[in-house]
Amino acid sequence: MSESTQAILEAENLHKEFPLGQFNLFGAKKVVHAVEEASFSLYPGRATALVGESGSGKTTVARMLARIYDPTSGTIRFRGEPIKFNGSLAALRTYRRHVQMIFQDPFASLNPVHSVRYHLSRPLRVHGHAHSEQEVTEQVLALLRRVSLSPAEQFIEKYPHQLSGGQRQRVAIARALAARPEIVLADEPVSMLDVSIRLDILNLLARLKDEERLAFLFITHDIASARYFAEDTLVMYAGQMVEGGPVKPSFSRLNIPIPSSCSRLRPILIVSSA
Ligand SMILES: Nc1ncnc2c1ncn2[C@@H]1O[C@H](COP(=O)(O)OP(=O)(O)OP(=O)(O)O)[C@@H](O)[C@H]1O
């Protein structure tokens, strides 16, 4: 098997239950089955879109892969090796260097009291990529240039409130890149941004995926951006993966709403569903 077809992250029968703190008629604890038996693989330089209605379990899948939640059952393999969920903190930190998350809301994901320099220098130091002050500054500036925030010198001392939504999301993307990950889990990374800049951010993510051979899990409600960005598509419905693969899935059967706000991407949807 060639390098490009070797999965870097594999999920096998992932299952997640959340206790509800209530009891049923028989005295058993009630649980919500957020994700049931999800299996899929992520590949270097390839994006997999995870599409589904609200509450279908997409975020829970990403959080298990990011190891924010432990699965109730199932296996995650990184480079073929099963993850030990009772492993050391050092092992968890190493894993998180390889697997980074980008969140939906760049307003909430950046700390308003810290500068761009702080947000980007922290992962560089934590993961041991830069040590001296000069090294850190050079790498922070390089990260800002990689996400097209230039001149980088003008952005490095800014605070989140001094940036637009798109610029904040670029900083959040740069923060994920600072760890030098191989896998990026992007949870609706453009859905809170102005329509006019969504495509710019998607194009930035696509460039990074190709240039750095990142494996992407791209969570979205928006079928048009899934088709624009991702090579593979998985569809979730009520906690289960109901469809997937490189072929065009039949979204219409699931009645997933297509946001009218995504007018710039709409022609792509029409072309590919013809
Ligand atoms: N921490 C939690 N405790 C209890 N239930 C939860 C928790 N997190 C998620 N759930 C439930 O699990 C199910 C799946 O939620 P999840 O957030 O993964 O769906 P989603 O597809 O990402 O939805 P959205 O698109 O709205 O973000 C939902 O029924 C949700 O209410």
Side-chain angles (χ1 to χ4, degrees):
M1 195 179 264
S2 74
E3 196 202 341
S4 61
T5 52
Q6 199 99 46
I8 185 157
L9 198 67
E10 295 160 277
E12 193 180 301
N13 299 328
L14 280 190
H15 191 100
K16 183 68 185 173
E17 293 175 4
F18 292 106
L20 285 179
Q22 300 164 356
F23 294 89
N24 66 18
L25 288 175
F26 307 103
K29 271 192 182 164
K30 279 190 186 174
V31 295
V32 51
H33 296 271
V35 175
E36 296 182 76
E37 311 303 327
S39 298
F40 59 95
S41 302
L42 302 180
Y43 298 88
R46 214 172 159 87
T48 297
L50 188 53
V51 186
E53 293 176 324
S54 189
S56 58
K58 306 178 301 294
T59 296
T60 305
V61 166
R63 289 181 173 216
M64 285 192 279
L65 295 184
R67 297 201 50 201
I68 296 169
Y69 296 152
D70 282 349
T72 307
S73 62
T75 308
I76 298 172
R77 286 197 191 82
F78 175 61
R79 294 197 193 123
E81 287 294 313
I83 301 296
K84 292 189 190 120
F85 294 105
N86 55 358
S88 66
L89 265 180
L92 180 62
R93 180 174 285 183
T94 305
Y95 179 82
R96 289 209 177 130
R97 181 171 87 65
H98 298 295
V99 184
Q100 286 285 306
M101 224 171 148
I102 298 168
F103 297 93
Q104 179 178 26
D105 185 356
F107 294 82
S109 69
L110 300 180
N111 188 329
V113 304
H114 290 306
S115 66
V116 168
R117 177 193 288 274
Y118 178 90
H119 281 98
L120 302 190
S121 58
R122 219 177 111 73
L124 288 171
R125 288 184 202 278
V126 165
H127 296 295
H129 298 317
H131 304 283
S132 71
E133 209 48 55
Q134 191 192 343
E135 241 181 335
V136 169
T137 300
E138 278 168 15
Q139 291 202 29
V140 168
L141 290 172
L143 281 166
L144 290 172
R145 291 184 195 113
R146 265 160 78 198
V147 297
S148 307
L149 284 175
S150 54
E153 292 75 6
Q154 280 185 17
F155 285 95
I156 190 167
E157 304 302 347
K158 288 202 190 286
Y159 284 79
H161 74 271
Q162 297 172 306
L163 303 172
S164 68
Q167 289 168 344
R168 282 181 219 203
Q169 196 59 310
R170 285 175 194 272
V171 172
I173 294 166
R175 179 175 57 183
L177 294 178
R180 301 187 193 163
E182 288 158 275
I183 299 146
V184 173
L185 311 170
D187 192 353
E188 308 230 21
V190 297
S191 63
M192 290 198 68
L193 303 179
D194 194 90
V195 173
S196 61
I197 53 170
R198 286 183 187 176
L199 202 53
D200 294 342
I201 298 292
L202 281 182
N203 286 337
L204 167 67
L205 294 175
R207 175 167 63 76
L208 294 169
K209 168 176 65 96
D210 294 340
E211 286 177 0
E212 315 204 5
R213 291 188 42 76
L214 293 169
F216 259 93
L217 184 70
F218 176 69
I219 294 178
T220 182
H221 284 96
D222 172 18
I223 297 141
S225 54
R227 287 190 168 168
Y228 183 73
F229 180 70
E231 285 84 5
D232 303 307
T233 307
L234 299 167
V235 180
M236 285 197 79
Y237 185 76
Q240 301 197 344
M241 280 187 179
V242 292
E243 212 163 341
V247 287
K248 288 176 274 177
S250 323
F251 295 108
S252 53
R253 279 202 275 124
L254 296 166
N255 199 24
I256 299 168
I258 302 164
S260 57
S261 57
C262 210
S263 53
R264 283 184 70 176
L265 295 175
R266 194 166 271 269
I268 297 159
L269 179 72
I270 293 164
V271 168
S272 54
S273 57

